[in-house]
Amino acid sequence: MNNLNSELIIWISIIGLGYVTVIIIAMHKLRPDYNPLSRYISEYAVGKYGTLAASSFVVYGLAILAIYWCLQAVLPARASTNIGLTLMAIWGVAKAFTGFFKVDLKGEQMTLIGTLHSISSVIGVAVSVLGMIVLSQSFALAVQIIAIVALVLAILLYLGLIGDFALKYHYHVKGVLLSLHNLTGLTERLLLGISVVWLIIVVNWLAKSS
C-alpha cells in the first residue's frame, strides 16, 4: 500500500471515529428520555433519530476496518499479529452489522432482529478486547494498559448483560448482577470511549509510520 492510499485511509478512519464520537454525545441531548447509566447505546437506534444513531454504528465498524487495513500493511507478519488482525477485522464487521438490526429495548422480550443485534454486539465486544490485547504487544505500554482496562470493562458489561437477560425473563437477580444491570449503559459508554482512545493512538502511530 503506497503512502497516498495509506494517508487517505488514515484520514477516513479519523473522520469516522470523530463522527461516532460526535453522534453518540449528541444523542444524549437528543434523547434525554434514555438514562445513560442503564440504557444501551444501541437503544438510540430505536425511535426518534434512530437512523442517525444506527449510521454511527456502521461508520464505526468501517473506521475499524480501515485501521485494520492499514495495520496489516505495516505490522510484521507473525502468528500473534495475524490473530490480532483477524480479531480486529471481525470487530469491525460485527460493529457495522449492528447498525442494520435494531436492538430490543431494555426490559422487552427478545425478537429475532433484536437477537441478531445482541449476538453481533456480544461477539464484537469479545473480539475487540481480545484484539486490542493481542495487538497491543506491538505498541507502547500505555496501549497495553488501555487494553487491560477494556478487558475489565467488558467483563463488567457481560455480568450486567446476564442480569439484564435474567430480568427480561422475570428471573430474580440480586447483589452484583442487579447493580451491574443498572449500570450497563455507563459501562458500555466507558468501554466505547476507551476503545476509541485505543484506536486513536493506533491511528496516530500509523500516521507517523506512513
Side-chain angles (χ1 to χ4, degrees), residues 163-210:
D164 185 33
F165 284 127
L167 289 175
K168 276 179 182 289
Y169 292 97
H170 310 294
Y171 288 101
H172 179 66
V173 295
K174 58 183 180 179
V176 66
L177 286 183
L178 181 60
S179 299
L180 292 174
H181 158 77
N182 291 326
L183 295 173
T184 47
L186 175 62
T187 306
E188 186 185 26
R189 284 160 177 77
L190 289 173
L191 180 57
L192 174 64
I194 201 131
S195 299
V196 169
V197 169
W198 187 89
L199 289 167
I200 290 173
I201 293 174
V202 172
V203 169
N204 183 61
W205 178 84
L206 283 168
K208 293 179 179 178
S209 302
S210 62

Side-chain angles (χ1 to χ4, degrees), residues 40-88:
Y40 297 107
I41 295 173
S42 298
E43 292 184 88
Y44 287 130
V46 180
K48 195 174 183 180
Y49 306 110
T51 301
L52 183 63
S55 71
S56 70
F57 309 152
V58 177
V59 170
Y60 187 35
L62 294 177
I64 294 168
L65 290 173
I67 297 169
Y68 152 78
W69 186 268
C70 291
L71 283 176
Q72 71 170 350
V74 298
L75 288 180
R78 56 188 184 212
S80 61
T81 300
N82 291 337
I83 292 172
L85 288 173
T86 299
L87 291 169
M88 190 172 190

Side-chain angles (χ1 to χ4, degrees), residues 33-145:
D33 51 315
Y34 283 167
N35 182 354
L37 293 179
S38 60
R39 303 300 287 265
Y40 297 107
I41 295 173
S42 298
E43 292 184 88
Y44 287 130
V46 180
K48 195 174 183 180
Y49 306 110
T51 301
L52 183 63
S55 71
S56 70
F57 309 152
V58 177
V59 170
Y60 187 35
L62 294 177
I64 294 168
L65 290 173
I67 297 169
Y68 152 78
W69 186 268
C70 291
L71 283 176
Q72 71 170 350
V74 298
L75 288 180
R78 56 188 184 212
S80 61
T81 300
N82 291 337
I83 292 172
L85 288 173
T86 299
L87 291 169
M88 190 172 190
I90 298 172
W91 175 17
V93 172
K95 194 62 189 180
F97 187 83
T98 61
F100 296 98
F101 296 92
K102 293 182 179 180
V103 70
D104 297 307
L105 294 177
K106 192 157 188 163
E108 292 186 357
Q109 298 295 300
M110 299 291 289
T111 64
L112 176 59
I113 297 300
T115 300
L116 289 173
H117 178 99
S118 296
I119 291 173
S120 182
S121 295
V122 168
I123 292 173
V125 169
V127 296
S128 70
V129 172
L130 293 175
M132 283 192 283
I133 290 174
V134 174
L135 289 174
S136 291
Q137 299 174 24
S138 302
F139 302 100
L141 178 61
V143 181
Q144 298 175 31
I145 293 174

